Amino acid sequence: MPNQGPALFTRPSCFEMSKAYLVIFVCFSLLPLYRTDNKVNDLIQSKIVNCSTLRMGQFLCPDPSYDLIDPVTQEIRGCTKEGKAKVKCLAVDGLACEGTKNRTFTKEMPCRWTNGYHYDTSLLLSIFLGMFGIDRFYLGYPAIGLAKFCTLGFLFIGQFIDIILIASQVVGPADGSAYVIPYYGARIDVIRSDNTTYKLRQNSW
């Protein structure tokens, strides 16, 4: 009978397979502890600072993982009537914030407060139904809307003027809110002179 040589593969016994499964189970059980230990080590190695005092280049705002824009208002989430919203930001590697004990913190950003008045709706109402004052009723000006309704848009002259004013966003909602416009769409920013934009003469000049 010819010699077949040594066997190339030997089926492992049940005991050996049990040991292998046990090792795999222990490794996966200790993995969360290893990750937690790494987070603790990172926190120990990080410098804890007041993240509200970070300068440009020391943080990223907003955090790329943060869903910044509300699809309903087309503005920053949580925008208030004061035109401010708290946004989740991220400090650079090696820094940890005092409040959160990690790299994340919140920072106030300017925004536009909206209250459901859509720019495209206002403009279409002014073009097609402006002679009846429907655009003014929609924006919250019932007195002007009634006057336009009774005079057929001031004989269409008032309708034409309102089309220009609404298209240029000079006339907005009566409650002081901004139009709902796509966040990355075309907008008009009116620059006015106030205490923050007017250059005041300094004593050192």
Side-chain angles (χ1 to χ4, degrees), residues 185-201:
R187 299 187 180 201
I188 297 178
D189 289 321
V190 180
I191 301 177
R192 297 181 174 88
S193 178
D194 54 22
N195 290 335
T196 60
T197 59
Y198 182 71
K199 183 184 291 186
L200 299 177
R201 184 174 182 82

Side-chain angles (χ1 to χ4, degrees), residues 33-82:
L33 297 177
Y34 172 76
R35 291 177 177 174
T36 304
D37 186 58
N38 281 344
K39 292 181 179 179
V40 173
N41 290 334
D42 292 341
L43 180 60
I44 294 174
Q45 295 174 1
S46 300
K47 181 180 179 181
I48 299 179
V49 297
N50 182 5
C51 288
S52 62
T53 61
L54 294 179
R55 297 183 178 182
M56 186 178 298
Q58 295 179 319
F59 66 93
L60 185 62
C61 202
D63 185 347
S65 62
Y66 178 67
D67 191 6
L68 182 66
I69 307 303
D70 188 340
V72 176
T73 63
Q74 286 298 312
E75 273 299 330
I76 299 175
R77 294 182 182 275
C79 186
T80 62
K81 288 186 178 181
E82 291 74 23

Side-chain angles (χ1 to χ4, degrees), residues 1-202:
M1 186 173 181
N3 185 11
Q4 296 181 355
L8 298 178
F9 175 76
T10 304
R11 183 183 297 273
S13 64
C14 295
F15 178 72
E16 292 175 342
M17 293 181 64
S18 300
K19 288 195 300 182
Y21 284 125
L22 180 61
V23 171
I24 295 174
F25 175 77
V26 171
C27 290
F28 277 97
S29 300
L30 295 177
L31 185 60
L33 297 177
Y34 172 76
R35 291 177 177 174
T36 304
D37 186 58
N38 281 344
K39 292 181 179 179
V40 173
N41 290 334
D42 292 341
L43 180 60
I44 294 174
Q45 295 174 1
S46 300
K47 181 180 179 181
I48 299 179
V49 297
N50 182 5
C51 288
S52 62
T53 61
L54 294 179
R55 297 183 178 182
M56 186 178 298
Q58 295 179 319
F59 66 93
L60 185 62
C61 202
D63 185 347
S65 62
Y66 178 67
D67 191 6
L68 182 66
I69 307 303
D70 188 340
V72 176
T73 63
Q74 286 298 312
E75 273 299 330
I76 299 175
R77 294 182 182 275
C79 186
T80 62
K81 288 186 178 181
E82 291 74 23
K84 296 179 180 179
K86 291 185 177 181
V87 179
K88 181 181 177 183
C89 304
L90 188 68
V92 297
D93 292 331
L95 296 180
C97 301
E98 292 179 347
T100 59
K101 303 302 180 183
N102 53 40
R103 294 172 58 198
T104 61
F105 66 101
T106 57
K107 185 179 180 66
E108 280 192 346
M109 290 184 63
C111 62
R112 288 185 175 188
W113 174 64
T114 60
N115 199 23
Y117 296 96
H118 291 261
Y119 173 72
D120 50 357
T121 302
S122 303
L123 187 57
L124 290 175
L125 289 176
S126 184
I127 294 173
F128 295 105
L129 298 175
M131 72 286 293
F132 304 117
I134 304 301
D135 53 347
R136 288 286 183 166
F137 282 113
Y138 174 75
L139 292 175
Y141 303 96
I144 301 177
L146 183 61
K148 289 178 68 176
F149 178 79
C150 295
T151 60
L152 202 62
F154 300 108
L155 299 178
F156 298 99
I157 297 176
Q159 178 190 7
F160 178 73
I161 294 175
D162 273 351
I163 291 175
I164 297 176
L165 294 178
I166 293 176
S168 59
Q169 300 178 27
V170 174
V171 171
D175 59 1
S177 63
Y179 286 114
V180 177
I181 304 175
Y183 186 77
Y184 298 104
R187 299 187 180 201
I188 297 178
D189 289 321
V190 180
I191 301 177
R192 297 181 174 88
S193 178
D194 54 22
N195 290 335
T196 60
T197 59
Y198 182 71
K199 183 184 291 186
L200 299 177
R201 184 174 182 82
Q202 305 296 320

